[in-house]
Amino acid sequence: MLFFIVKGGIVMVPIILASIVGAGIIVDRFIVIRRVYRLDMQKFSRDVLDLVDKGKYREALVLCGQKKDYPLAAMYAAAIENRLLSRLELEKLLERMGNHAVKTLEKRLGGLVSVVGISPLMGFLGTITGLIRAFMAWEKAGNDVTVSALAGGIYEAMITTAAGLIVAIPYYLCYNYFISRIKYFSHELDDYCSQLLELLTRGKVL
């Protein structure tokens, strides 16, 4: 590995740094998203809705308080505590909280996108600088040029391109995975909160 890094030249440094930053973001987001899904939202929602349907708001708030670190529980608690508001006001309240929860999950994903975009570009830059080195060696050697004289530049050109793609491809797959999980989570929040709204606003006007 050290051989390839050395042969890749100076351009390998930002590629390696980008890969380290990207790996850190991936680990961080994986932990955060996994923590959110530790709550069985279907069971939790069913239990809270059952209490709300029976008018047991205090018990529902206690149940939400036990899971207060989870976005759905916090949103349910806020809606129940403000149940006297109009449906439109409750919808706006839950929408704000839902957007905040999604933004929290999306945090640092912009940095991951930057790593995905920059890595292959840095690889292509290494390709150009490597070819420049090779042609400069060729010009200097003239008719006496040898493969070994060109090898350094060619190594740099090929290795940096490969390194950039090796970083970008798996990181892009990770980014898509995170986005898909966040979208699914957002849809779940909308669905469960809509069910609570129906119970809290029965008979209410906008």
Side-chain angles (χ1 to χ4, degrees):
M1 181 63 69
L2 182 60
F3 169 80
F4 285 109
I5 293 174
V6 173
K7 288 295 185 180
I10 191 65
V11 178
M12 287 294 292
V13 174
I15 293 177
I16 293 172
L17 291 176
S19 70
I20 294 173
V21 171
I25 295 173
I26 288 171
V27 172
D28 174 71
R29 291 300 91 189
F30 180 79
I31 292 172
V32 170
I33 292 175
R34 185 181 179 185
R35 186 185 299 134
V36 166
Y37 277 97
R38 285 178 183 171
L39 175 67
D40 185 345
M41 290 197 289
Q42 184 175 12
K43 181 180 183 304
F44 174 77
S45 178
R46 184 171 60 248
D47 293 341
V48 173
L49 294 178
D50 183 59
L51 291 172
V52 171
D53 190 40
K54 296 176 181 177
K56 299 180 179 180
Y57 300 115
R58 186 181 300 276
E59 290 86 343
L61 286 172
V62 170
L63 183 57
C64 291
Q66 295 172 353
K67 306 291 184 180
K68 60 182 180 180
D69 293 333
Y70 296 94
L72 181 61
M75 294 170 71
Y76 269 16
I80 295 171
E81 289 173 349
N82 295 277
R83 59 185 179 276
L84 298 180
L85 296 176
S86 68
R87 182 185 179 96
L88 183 59
E89 290 173 319
L90 282 175
E91 286 178 347
K92 290 181 178 179
L93 172 65
L94 292 176
E95 183 179 0
R96 287 196 300 270
M97 295 185 69
N99 289 338
H100 177 72
V102 170
K103 286 180 180 178
T104 300
L105 296 181
E106 292 177 339
K107 188 179 180 181
R108 299 190 179 93
L109 287 184
L112 184 58
V113 171
S114 296
V115 170
V116 170
I118 289 173
S119 296
L121 293 178
M122 293 302 298
F124 295 147
L125 176 61
T127 300
I128 299 301
T129 58
L131 291 176
I132 290 173
R133 282 185 56 197
F135 279 110
M136 288 177 67
W138 191 347
E139 181 185 34
K140 185 176 180 179
N143 294 330
D144 298 326
V145 65
T146 62
V147 174
S148 60
L150 303 176
I154 295 174
Y155 262 128
E156 182 177 334
M158 297 298 100
I159 291 174
T160 53
T161 300
L165 294 176
I166 288 171
V167 172
I169 292 172
Y171 284 14
Y172 180 69
L173 293 176
C174 290
Y175 171 78
N176 278 339
Y177 169 76
F178 292 143
I179 290 299
S180 66
R181 297 304 294 170
I182 292 171
K183 284 184 177 179
Y184 181 74
F185 177 73
S186 177
H187 292 323
E188 283 190 307
L189 283 183
D190 287 342
D191 182 48
Y192 291 130
C193 287
S194 294
Q195 295 177 42
L196 178 62
L197 276 176
E198 290 299 324
L199 290 178
L200 293 176
T201 61
R202 282 181 299 192
K204 284 186 180 181
V205 296
L206 293 180

